[in-house]
Amino acid sequence: MREVSSKVVVVDMCSVQQRRRFVSVVISRTQIRLQLDTASDITVISRNIWKKLGSPVLAPATVKANTALGNILPLDGEFECSVTIGGSTRCELVRVSEKQLHLLGSDLVDSFSLWSVPMDTFCCSVSGSPASLESSFPNVFSEKLGLCSKTQVKLELKESVRPVFCPKRPVAFAMYDAVDQELDRLEKLNIITPVDYSEWAAPIVVVRKANGTIRICGDYSTGLNAALQPNQYPLPLPDDIFAKLAGCQVFSQIDLSDAFLQVEVDEQHRKLLTINTHRGLYSYNRLPPGVKIAPGAFQQLIDTMLAGLECTSGYLDDVIIGGKTEEEHDRNLRAALKRIQEFGFTIRVDKCTFRKQPVQ
């Protein structure tokens, strides 16, 4: 075995009472959120995030890490990977710990020359959030997919329609593993369930996202959409949103993660949403993108959730909260997060911004 040289570095484990800054980082084509911690000499992620990245092979750690209190921070190892911040990509070294740490350390701050860049100039990548929000609303900030506890969506067919069963479409050989993994993930999350028979079936469309992962969607334009009664609930107009936020000077934007998939479909209607894959038939237990009634049904749910809240407006999976002062904004933000938690939704923190002056 080769001898591994090591040095001792200090990792700052911040108090939850301090204000935190978060950076949206792409590691190995997967977007994650790291806490900016310039007091930490190294960049550290948890085992859960490491597994999310595909469990890349770890080498023995070349550093020995201590917390700011002097305690030893156990490291599982380290790995080299591509890291993208603000459009720049470099090959960097990332450490893995059993602790729930997600820190962007001074090593990457140095590598990406972030010291000389004003933090507010890349606010799309860095967002400030009072740490107390995460401790006050842990379910909202959870990395798990939420589940709306207030309703289930129903689908209504037009009269005298005939079921449409479409054959599966071929999957490119290079995509087989990725599609299999995504189907396994969706089944594990109880988003889809394998079925032996269905009168309805739509082929799937495989979409590669910007972070390198894929999304599987049913192509319901093949028959189901035309057979469904439309949902007439209107989406809000820009003027409606501006009117609710008139006079506000401080804003937060909340993004619900995989929003439609956080809403269950009534059990009697799930087989209408069956998809036909190379592994057989699956029915959706949650509301999938691509169904024509989904936007109206979801908007109605969001409007119900936000009803009565001051300076708060929702457009599908985006919720905007404002305030004429920081104090008023913070009060409105907490009220909105409380309502989101009551409804069982979770948010995608790396796409949220908190306490910003402009909203784009």
Side-chain angles (χ1 to χ4, degrees):
M1 296 180 62
R2 67 183 180 90
E3 184 177 347
V4 179
S5 60
S6 63
K7 61 179 180 178
V8 177
V9 298
V10 176
V11 176
D12 182 28
M13 300 181 71
C14 296
S15 166
V16 296
Q17 299 302 322
Q18 296 174 336
R19 292 206 48 195
R20 300 175 180 177
R21 305 291 290 187
F22 295 97
V23 184
S24 180
V25 180
V26 177
I27 298 180
S28 300
R29 299 191 301 178
T30 299
Q31 188 167 358
I32 61 175
R33 184 186 67 126
L34 299 180
Q35 180 186 337
L36 179 63
D37 189 352
T38 55
S40 173
D41 293 322
I42 60 175
T43 296
V44 186
I45 63 173
S46 67
R47 286 178 185 171
N48 290 339
I49 295 296
W50 172 70
K51 292 177 181 179
K52 183 178 178 180
L53 298 176
S55 303
V57 177
L58 294 178
T62 55
V63 298
K64 294 180 180 179
N66 291 337
T67 70
L69 298 177
N71 300 319
I72 295 177
L73 177 70
L75 296 176
D76 295 346
E78 59 191 30
F79 65 99
E80 289 187 348
C81 57
S82 65
V83 178
T84 301
I85 302 177
S88 299
T89 302
R90 291 176 173 79
C91 184
E92 301 292 344
L93 203 60
V94 175
R95 275 80 183 197
V96 180
S97 173
E98 64 180 12
K99 303 295 184 182
Q100 287 300 309
L101 291 175
H102 309 103
L103 302 180
L104 179 72
S106 60
D107 54 348
L108 293 195
V109 174
D110 282 334
S111 182
F112 284 86
S113 302
L114 298 180
W115 294 109
S116 59
V117 180
M119 195 173 298
D120 289 341
T121 63
F122 53 112
C123 60
C124 290
S125 299
V126 180
S127 58
S129 170
S132 60
L133 291 179
E134 295 190 43
S135 58
S136 298
F137 307 100
N139 294 337
V140 173
F141 286 84
S142 172
E143 294 182 357
K144 297 180 180 179
L145 186 66
L147 175 60
C148 179
S149 59
K150 300 297 184 179
T151 190
Q152 292 184 332
V153 172
K154 296 179 172 59
L155 289 76
E156 185 178 351
L157 293 173
K158 297 176 182 177
E159 294 182 2
S160 303
V161 296
R162 293 183 177 181
V164 177
F165 186 99
C166 293
K168 64 180 182 292
R169 289 174 181 164
V171 176
F173 180 76
M175 298 289 290
Y176 252 80
D177 288 344
V179 172
D180 279 338
Q181 291 176 17
E182 180 64 5
L183 289 173
D184 289 339
R185 186 185 75 88
L186 294 175
E187 185 176 352
K188 184 177 181 180
L189 293 173
N190 198 36
I191 294 173
I192 60 175
T193 299
V195 295
D196 296 327
Y197 170 80
S198 176
E199 293 183 322
W200 293 86
I204 61 170
V205 176
V206 181
V207 180
R208 186 173 291 279
K209 297 189 283 189
N211 62 7
T213 61
I214 67 167
R215 173 178 292 160
I216 294 177
C217 305
D219 185 2
Y220 296 109
S221 66
T222 55
L224 179 63
N225 279 346
L228 287 174
Q229 294 282 8
N231 185 301
Q232 304 289 357
Y233 194 85
L235 299 183
L237 299 174
D239 287 347
D240 300 330
I241 298 174
F242 297 150
K244 289 184 178 180
L245 301 173
C248 293
Q249 300 297 319
V250 185
F251 300 90
S252 287
Q253 289 179 282
I254 303 296
D255 183 89
L256 301 179
S257 53
D258 289 325
F260 290 179
L261 293 180
Q262 297 194 51
V263 182
E264 277 190 316
V265 175
D266 184 273
E267 190 170 357
Q268 295 181 358
H269 302 145
R270 292 176 183 178
K271 284 200 173 182
L272 296 176
L273 300 171
T274 301
I275 54 175
N276 201 348
T277 77
H278 69 284
R279 297 199 332 194
L281 302 176
Y282 291 87
S283 65
Y284 265 93
N285 303 316
R286 310 277 187 99
L287 182 64
V291 181
K292 76 175 184 179
I293 61 96
F298 191 81
Q299 185 64 47
Q300 185 174 12
L301 175 58
I302 291 300
D303 287 349
T304 301
M305 179 178 72
L306 302 179
L309 298 182
E310 297 290 332
C311 301
T312 302
S313 182
Y315 185 90
L316 296 177
D317 59 349
D318 287 316
V319 178
I320 304 177
I321 303 102
K324 297 179 178 62
T325 64
E326 286 193 355
E327 292 76 12
E328 181 181 295
H329 161 272
D330 291 353
R331 184 169 61 252
N332 295 339
L333 175 58
R334 285 184 169 274
L337 290 174
K338 180 181 179 181
R339 198 70 65 82
I340 291 172
Q341 183 162 274
E342 289 173 354
F343 271 65
F345 287 110
T346 57
I347 66 176
R348 183 174 174 180
V349 184
D350 59 280
K351 293 186 69 176
C352 299
T353 56
F354 298 93
R355 301 183 77 177
K356 297 297 179 182
Q357 300 298 322
V359 174
Q360 299 178 346

